[in-house]
Amino acid sequence: MAESFWKSANNLIYEGNSGKVGEWTKRNSNNDCMEPVLSLDGNWNVNIDNMMFHLSPSEMGQVGVFPEQKENWVWIQQKLSSALGPGSKTKNVLNGFAYTGGSTMASLRVPGVKVVHLDSSKAFVQTAKRNVELTGLSDRPVRWIVDDCLTFLRREIRRRDPTNDNSTTSTSTSMGQQGKTSKDKRSRSAQEFCRLPGGYDGLIFDPPAFGRAGAKGKTWHIEKDLPELLELLPKLLSVDPVFVLISCHDSRWPADRLLEHLEKALNPLRLGGSYETGPLELHSSVSSRSLPLGCYYAGHEFD
Protein backbone atom coordinates (compact mmCIF):
# COMPACT_ATOMS: atom_id res chain seq x y z
CA MET A 1 0.00 0.00 0.00
CA ALA A 2 1.15 3.54 -0.73
CA GLU A 3 2.00 5.72 2.27
CA SER A 4 -0.80 8.10 1.25
CA PHE A 5 -3.34 5.33 1.77
CA TRP A 6 -2.36 4.83 5.40
CA LYS A 7 -2.23 8.56 6.08
CA SER A 8 -5.78 8.98 4.87
CA ALA A 9 -7.14 5.91 6.65
CA ASN A 10 -9.12 6.23 9.86
CA ASN A 11 -6.96 3.63 11.54
CA LEU A 12 -5.94 2.31 14.91
CA ILE A 13 -2.30 1.47 15.50
CA TYR A 14 -1.00 -0.84 18.20
CA GLU A 15 2.56 -0.81 19.54
CA GLY A 16 3.73 -3.43 22.01
CA ASN A 17 5.66 -6.65 22.56
CA SER A 18 4.32 -10.18 22.80
CA GLY A 19 3.07 -11.01 26.28
CA LYS A 20 3.16 -7.39 27.47
CA VAL A 21 0.61 -4.59 27.62
CA GLY A 22 0.99 -2.17 24.72
CA GLU A 23 -0.71 1.00 23.53
CA TRP A 24 -3.36 1.76 20.93
CA THR A 25 -3.31 5.12 19.14
CA LYS A 26 -5.62 6.72 16.58
CA ARG A 27 -5.68 9.80 14.37
CA ASN A 28 -6.92 12.97 16.05
CA SER A 29 -9.89 15.00 14.85
CA ASN A 30 -7.64 17.12 12.61
CA ASN A 31 -6.20 13.95 11.04
CA ASP A 32 -2.67 15.33 11.43
CA CYS A 33 -1.23 13.21 14.28
CA MET A 34 -1.82 10.15 16.42
CA GLU A 35 -3.23 10.29 19.94
CA PRO A 36 -3.70 7.62 22.65
CA VAL A 37 -6.95 5.68 22.68
CA LEU A 38 -8.34 6.30 26.16
CA SER A 39 -11.10 3.71 25.92
CA LEU A 40 -10.81 0.33 24.25
CA ASP A 41 -14.56 -0.16 24.10
CA GLY A 42 -15.51 -0.92 20.52
CA ASN A 43 -18.75 -1.95 18.90
CA TRP A 44 -17.87 -3.47 15.55
CA ASN A 45 -19.17 -6.71 14.10
CA VAL A 46 -17.64 -8.38 11.05
CA ASN A 47 -18.93 -11.26 8.93
CA ILE A 48 -16.40 -13.89 7.84
CA ASP A 49 -17.98 -16.67 5.78
CA ASN A 50 -21.32 -16.14 7.55
CA MET A 51 -19.75 -16.26 11.01
CA MET A 52 -20.11 -13.10 13.05
CA PHE A 53 -17.30 -11.69 15.18
CA HIS A 54 -17.63 -8.83 17.66
CA LEU A 55 -14.43 -6.78 17.53
CA SER A 56 -12.87 -4.75 20.28
CA PRO A 57 -9.16 -3.91 20.66
CA SER A 58 -7.52 -5.36 23.77
CA GLU A 59 -4.54 -4.06 25.73
CA MET A 60 -2.52 -7.06 24.50
CA GLY A 61 -3.05 -6.14 20.87
CA GLN A 62 -5.81 -8.53 19.83
CA VAL A 63 -8.92 -7.24 18.09
CA GLY A 64 -11.22 -10.25 18.46
CA VAL A 65 -10.50 -12.42 15.43
CA PHE A 66 -7.59 -14.22 13.79
CA PRO A 67 -8.54 -14.11 10.08
CA GLU A 68 -5.52 -16.19 9.09
CA GLN A 69 -7.50 -19.15 10.49
CA LYS A 70 -10.21 -18.72 7.84
CA GLU A 71 -9.06 -21.66 5.69
CA ASN A 72 -8.86 -23.87 8.78
CA TRP A 73 -12.47 -23.01 9.65
CA VAL A 74 -13.56 -24.20 6.22
CA TRP A 75 -11.45 -27.37 6.63
CA ILE A 76 -13.01 -28.12 10.04
CA GLN A 77 -16.51 -27.94 8.60
CA GLN A 78 -15.58 -30.17 5.67
CA LYS A 79 -14.05 -32.87 7.85
CA LEU A 80 -16.94 -32.95 10.32
CA SER A 81 -19.56 -32.94 7.56
CA SER A 82 -17.82 -35.87 5.86
CA ALA A 83 -17.70 -37.82 9.12
CA LEU A 84 -21.38 -37.32 9.94
CA GLY A 85 -23.33 -39.54 7.58
CA PRO A 86 -26.81 -40.99 8.16
CA GLY A 87 -26.99 -42.74 11.52
CA SER A 88 -23.67 -41.33 12.72
CA LYS A 89 -23.12 -40.71 16.39
CA THR A 90 -22.58 -37.19 17.72
CA LYS A 91 -19.05 -35.93 17.18
CA ASN A 92 -17.35 -34.29 20.16
CA VAL A 93 -14.82 -31.53 19.54
CA LEU A 94 -12.46 -29.90 22.03
CA ASN A 95 -11.33 -26.40 21.06
CA GLY A 96 -8.46 -25.29 23.32
CA PHE A 97 -7.07 -21.77 23.48
CA ALA A 98 -10.38 -21.11 21.79
CA TYR A 99 -10.23 -17.29 21.97
CA THR A 100 -13.41 -15.72 20.57
CA GLY A 101 -14.77 -18.88 19.00
CA GLY A 102 -13.91 -19.03 15.30
CA SER A 103 -13.20 -22.77 15.36
CA THR A 104 -16.06 -23.31 17.81
CA MET A 105 -18.54 -21.71 15.40
CA ALA A 106 -17.06 -23.61 12.45
CA SER A 107 -17.67 -26.86 14.34
CA LEU A 108 -21.14 -25.93 15.57
CA ARG A 109 -22.30 -25.09 12.06
CA VAL A 110 -22.26 -28.83 11.34
CA PRO A 111 -25.38 -30.50 12.81
CA GLY A 112 -24.55 -33.37 15.13
CA VAL A 113 -21.47 -31.77 16.69
CA LYS A 114 -20.90 -30.90 20.34
CA VAL A 115 -18.08 -28.55 21.32
CA VAL A 116 -16.10 -27.93 24.48
CA HIS A 117 -14.82 -24.34 24.21
CA LEU A 118 -11.80 -23.87 26.49
CA ASP A 119 -9.97 -20.62 27.19
CA SER A 120 -8.33 -19.17 30.29
CA SER A 121 -9.82 -15.70 29.67
CA LYS A 122 -13.35 -15.12 30.93
CA ALA A 123 -13.62 -12.05 28.71
CA PHE A 124 -12.75 -14.05 25.58
CA VAL A 125 -15.24 -16.76 26.50
CA GLN A 126 -17.96 -14.15 26.96
CA THR A 127 -17.13 -12.69 23.54
CA ALA A 128 -17.24 -16.18 22.03
CA LYS A 129 -20.73 -16.69 23.49
CA ARG A 130 -21.79 -13.40 21.95
CA ASN A 131 -20.36 -14.42 18.58
CA VAL A 132 -22.22 -17.74 18.68
CA GLU A 133 -25.46 -15.84 19.35
CA LEU A 134 -24.75 -13.30 16.59
CA THR A 135 -24.16 -16.18 14.18
CA GLY A 136 -27.45 -17.83 15.11
CA LEU A 137 -25.91 -20.92 16.69
CA SER A 138 -27.02 -20.46 20.30
CA ASP A 139 -29.22 -23.57 20.09
CA ARG A 140 -26.22 -25.81 19.31
CA PRO A 141 -24.60 -27.79 22.15
CA VAL A 142 -21.48 -26.14 23.54
CA ARG A 143 -19.83 -26.36 26.95
CA TRP A 144 -18.04 -23.18 27.99
CA ILE A 145 -14.92 -23.66 30.12
CA VAL A 146 -12.77 -20.93 31.69
CA ASP A 147 -9.61 -22.68 32.86
CA ASP A 148 -5.90 -23.14 32.31
CA CYS A 149 -5.54 -25.41 29.30
CA LEU A 150 -3.10 -27.99 30.69
CA THR A 151 -4.96 -28.17 34.00
CA PHE A 152 -8.19 -28.95 32.17
CA LEU A 153 -6.58 -31.55 29.91
CA ARG A 154 -5.04 -33.40 32.85
CA ARG A 155 -8.44 -33.38 34.56
CA GLU A 156 -10.14 -34.74 31.44
CA ILE A 157 -7.67 -37.62 31.31
CA ARG A 158 -8.31 -38.44 34.97
CA ARG A 159 -12.06 -38.27 34.27
CA ARG A 160 -11.72 -40.86 31.51
CA ASP A 161 -9.75 -43.22 33.73
CA PRO A 162 -10.13 -42.53 37.48
CA THR A 163 -8.05 -45.64 38.27
CA ASN A 164 -5.05 -44.48 36.26
CA ASP A 165 -3.30 -43.11 39.33
CA ASN A 166 -3.82 -46.26 41.39
CA SER A 167 -0.53 -47.66 42.63
CA THR A 168 0.81 -51.00 43.72
CA THR A 169 3.44 -51.55 46.34
CA SER A 170 6.49 -53.74 45.89
CA THR A 171 9.25 -54.56 48.35
CA SER A 172 12.84 -55.48 47.58
CA THR A 173 15.70 -56.46 49.89
CA SER A 174 19.37 -56.10 49.06
CA MET A 175 22.67 -56.65 50.94
CA GLY A 176 20.80 -57.67 54.11
CA GLN A 177 19.14 -54.26 54.40
CA GLN A 178 15.54 -53.85 55.40
CA GLY A 179 13.17 -53.96 52.42
CA LYS A 180 12.41 -50.64 50.74
CA THR A 181 8.95 -49.84 49.51
CA SER A 182 8.36 -48.24 46.09
CA LYS A 183 5.18 -47.31 44.28
CA ASP A 184 4.72 -47.98 40.59
CA LYS A 185 1.83 -46.06 39.07
CA ARG A 186 -0.31 -48.04 36.66
CA SER A 187 -0.43 -46.36 33.27
CA ARG A 188 -2.69 -47.27 30.36
CA SER A 189 -1.31 -47.17 26.85
CA ALA A 190 -2.59 -44.56 24.43
CA GLN A 191 -4.51 -47.25 22.55
CA GLU A 192 -6.21 -48.37 25.77
CA PHE A 193 -7.23 -44.77 26.47
CA CYS A 194 -8.86 -44.46 23.05
CA ARG A 195 -11.17 -47.35 23.89
CA LEU A 196 -12.38 -45.64 27.06
CA PRO A 197 -15.57 -43.53 26.92
CA GLY A 198 -15.38 -39.74 26.92
CA GLY A 199 -12.80 -39.13 24.19
CA TYR A 200 -12.91 -36.38 21.59
CA ASP A 201 -13.39 -36.95 17.88
CA GLY A 202 -11.77 -33.63 17.01
CA LEU A 203 -8.98 -31.71 18.75
CA ILE A 204 -8.19 -28.07 17.96
CA PHE A 205 -5.46 -26.05 19.66
CA ASP A 206 -4.10 -22.62 18.77
CA PRO A 207 -1.65 -21.87 21.60
CA PRO A 208 -0.10 -18.42 22.08
CA ALA A 209 3.57 -17.81 22.74
CA PHE A 210 2.66 -16.59 26.22
CA GLY A 211 -0.53 -16.43 28.24
CA ARG A 212 -1.97 -16.05 31.73
CA ALA A 213 -4.77 -18.10 33.25
CA GLY A 214 -6.87 -15.28 34.63
CA ALA A 215 -6.62 -14.67 38.36
CA LYS A 216 -5.24 -18.14 39.09
CA GLY A 217 -1.64 -17.04 38.63
CA LYS A 218 -0.76 -19.76 36.12
CA THR A 219 1.12 -18.92 32.97
CA TRP A 220 1.62 -20.57 29.60
CA HIS A 221 5.05 -20.55 27.98
CA ILE A 222 4.98 -22.25 24.60
CA GLU A 223 8.57 -23.47 24.67
CA LYS A 224 8.06 -25.17 28.03
CA ASP A 225 4.41 -26.21 27.85
CA LEU A 226 3.64 -27.13 24.24
CA PRO A 227 5.61 -30.41 24.34
CA GLU A 228 3.49 -31.59 27.30
CA LEU A 229 0.27 -30.60 25.55
CA LEU A 230 1.26 -32.61 22.48
CA GLU A 231 2.11 -35.64 24.63
CA LEU A 232 -1.38 -35.53 26.17
CA LEU A 233 -3.23 -35.60 22.83
CA PRO A 234 -3.40 -39.42 22.45
CA LYS A 235 -5.18 -39.76 25.80
CA LEU A 236 -7.83 -37.27 24.73
CA LEU A 237 -8.84 -38.88 21.44
CA SER A 238 -11.77 -41.21 20.84
CA VAL A 239 -11.40 -44.66 19.34
CA ASP A 240 -12.39 -43.33 15.89
CA PRO A 241 -11.12 -39.73 15.69
CA VAL A 242 -11.90 -37.39 12.81
CA PHE A 243 -9.05 -34.90 13.02
CA VAL A 244 -6.33 -33.19 15.02
CA LEU A 245 -5.59 -29.56 14.14
CA ILE A 246 -2.77 -27.60 15.80
CA SER A 247 -1.69 -24.11 14.79
CA CYS A 248 1.28 -22.16 16.04
CA HIS A 249 2.38 -18.54 15.68
CA ASP A 250 5.81 -18.75 17.31
CA SER A 251 8.95 -18.77 15.17
CA ARG A 252 10.54 -21.28 17.56
CA TRP A 253 7.92 -23.81 16.44
CA PRO A 254 8.14 -24.02 12.64
CA ALA A 255 6.14 -26.61 10.74
CA ASP A 256 8.87 -29.28 10.72
CA ARG A 257 9.36 -29.13 14.49
CA LEU A 258 5.61 -29.22 15.12
CA LEU A 259 5.26 -32.21 12.80
CA GLU A 260 8.13 -34.08 14.51
CA HIS A 261 6.58 -33.73 17.98
CA LEU A 262 3.08 -34.62 16.83
CA GLU A 263 4.17 -37.70 14.93
CA LYS A 264 6.06 -38.87 18.01
CA ALA A 265 2.95 -38.36 20.15
CA LEU A 266 0.43 -39.93 17.76
CA ASN A 267 2.46 -42.81 16.29
CA PRO A 268 1.72 -45.17 19.23
CA LEU A 269 -1.97 -45.03 18.25
CA ARG A 270 -1.17 -46.50 14.82
CA LEU A 271 -3.87 -44.31 13.33
CA GLY A 272 -2.49 -44.15 9.82
CA GLY A 273 -4.32 -41.44 7.92
CA SER A 274 -3.12 -38.26 6.28
CA TYR A 275 -0.88 -35.60 7.78
CA GLU A 276 -0.10 -32.19 6.43
CA THR A 277 1.49 -28.92 7.46
CA GLY A 278 1.29 -25.50 5.93
CA PRO A 279 1.58 -21.77 6.56
CA LEU A 280 -0.93 -19.51 8.26
CA GLU A 281 -1.15 -16.39 6.13
CA LEU A 282 -3.13 -13.21 5.63
CA HIS A 283 -3.69 -12.60 1.94
CA SER A 284 -3.92 -9.10 0.52
CA SER A 285 -7.17 -8.15 -1.20
CA VAL A 286 -5.39 -5.74 -3.58
CA SER A 287 -2.20 -7.63 -4.49
CA SER A 288 -0.64 -11.09 -4.58
CA ARG A 289 1.24 -10.48 -1.35
CA SER A 290 0.65 -12.40 1.84
CA LEU A 291 1.71 -11.95 5.47
CA PRO A 292 3.07 -15.13 7.14
CA LEU A 293 1.71 -15.55 10.67
CA GLY A 294 2.65 -19.08 11.66
CA CYS A 295 1.96 -22.65 10.63
CA TYR A 296 -0.54 -25.44 11.16
CA TYR A 297 -0.53 -29.22 11.45
CA ALA A 298 -3.52 -31.30 10.43
CA GLY A 299 -4.07 -35.02 10.87
CA HIS A 300 -7.20 -36.62 9.38
CA GLU A 301 -8.67 -39.57 7.44
CA PHE A 302 -7.45 -41.93 10.14
CA ASP A 303 -7.73 -45.68 9.54
Side-chain angles (χ1 to χ4, degrees):
M1 289 288 187
E3 185 177 354
S4 58
F5 173 87
W6 296 110
K7 286 185 176 181
S8 63
N10 184 20
N11 50 17
L12 291 174
I13 296 178
Y14 177 81
E15 294 185 9
N17 296 317
S18 178
K20 297 181 180 180
V21 174
E23 181 183 44
W24 287 92
T25 59
K26 66 178 181 179
R27 296 199 176 277
N28 65 4
S29 57
N30 295 325
N31 200 34
D32 57 7
C33 68
M34 304 300 291
E35 62 184 13
V37 178
L38 300 180
S39 174
L40 293 178
D41 293 333
N43 190 27
W44 312 293
N45 296 328
V46 297
N47 185 323
I48 301 179
D49 286 346
N50 296 317
M51 297 192 303
M52 298 300 297
F53 292 85
H54 174 74
L55 305 187
S56 182
S58 76
E59 61 183 9
M60 302 299 287
Q62 299 98 340
V63 297
V65 63
F66 289 126
E68 68 272 18
Q69 294 283 357
K70 179 181 176 181
E71 294 179 6
N72 282 340
W73 297 333
V74 174
W75 185 88
I76 289 168
Q77 293 176 73
Q78 291 173 342
K79 295 305 172 186
L80 288 172
S81 296
S82 297
L84 281 162
S88 297
K89 294 182 179 180
T90 298
K91 299 301 181 184
N92 295 292
V93 174
L94 170 60
N95 183 19
F97 302 101
Y99 195 44
T100 58
S103 294
T104 293
M105 290 188 287
S107 301
L108 291 176
R109 292 181 71 179
V110 181
V113 174
K114 293 182 179 180
V115 177
V116 172
H117 177 106
L118 168 65
D119 199 280
S120 63
S121 168
K122 184 177 181 180
F124 287 160
V125 171
Q126 291 297 326
T127 300
K129 289 182 180 180
R130 182 174 183 174
N131 291 341
V132 166
E133 293 173 359
L134 289 170
T135 306
L137 297 170
S138 55
D139 61 331
R140 301 292 171 91
V142 56
R143 180 182 170 204
W144 304 101
I145 304 293
V146 179
D147 202 351
D148 169 69
C149 185
L150 286 178
T151 299
F152 177 81
L153 298 187
R154 297 184 195 112
R155 189 165 65 244
E156 284 291 90
I157 291 170
R158 290 195 300 269
R159 176 183 62 83
R160 290 190 76 183
D161 183 16
T163 67
N164 191 242
D165 285 334
N166 283 357
S167 57
T168 57
T169 302
S170 61
T171 303
S172 61
T173 304
S174 175
M175 301 292 289
Q177 295 179 353
Q178 186 175 355
K180 295 182 179 179
T181 300
S182 63
K183 291 186 178 180
D184 300 315
K185 288 187 175 181
R186 176 179 175 273
S187 179
R188 293 184 187 268
S189 70
Q191 287 182 312
E192 288 177 315
F193 256 95
C194 284
R195 290 191 287 269
L196 294 173
Y200 292 98
D201 304 296
L203 294 176
I204 306 167
F205 293 97
D206 183 30
F210 175 82
R212 298 185 185 277
K216 298 181 180 181
K218 294 185 178 180
T219 57
W220 164 273
H221 295 272
I222 194 167
E223 190 65 16
K224 175 175 68 72
D225 296 321
L226 184 56
E228 180 183 352
L229 185 150
L230 300 180
E231 290 175 3
L232 295 178
L233 297 187
K235 294 186 177 182
L236 295 164
L237 287 169
S238 68
V239 70
D240 187 23
V242 178
F243 67 82
V244 174
L245 178 61
I246 312 290
S247 52
C248 188
H249 306 265
D250 193 287
S251 60
R252 293 169 295 180
W253 282 87
D256 56 349
R257 185 183 182 194
L258 194 60
L259 179 62
E260 177 186 355
H261 278 73
L262 276 160
E263 286 184 339
K264 181 179 178 181
L266 296 177
N267 277 347
L269 296 182
R270 299 182 178 90
L271 291 172
S274 300
Y275 301 88
E276 59 190 72
T277 62
L280 291 174
E281 297 176 323
L282 275 181
H283 300 286
S284 171
S285 61
V286 296
S287 73
S288 60
R289 293 181 178 181
S290 61
L291 177 65
L293 292 169
C295 63
Y296 71 88
Y297 163 95
H300 57 105
E301 297 177 5
F302 299 121
D303 298 336

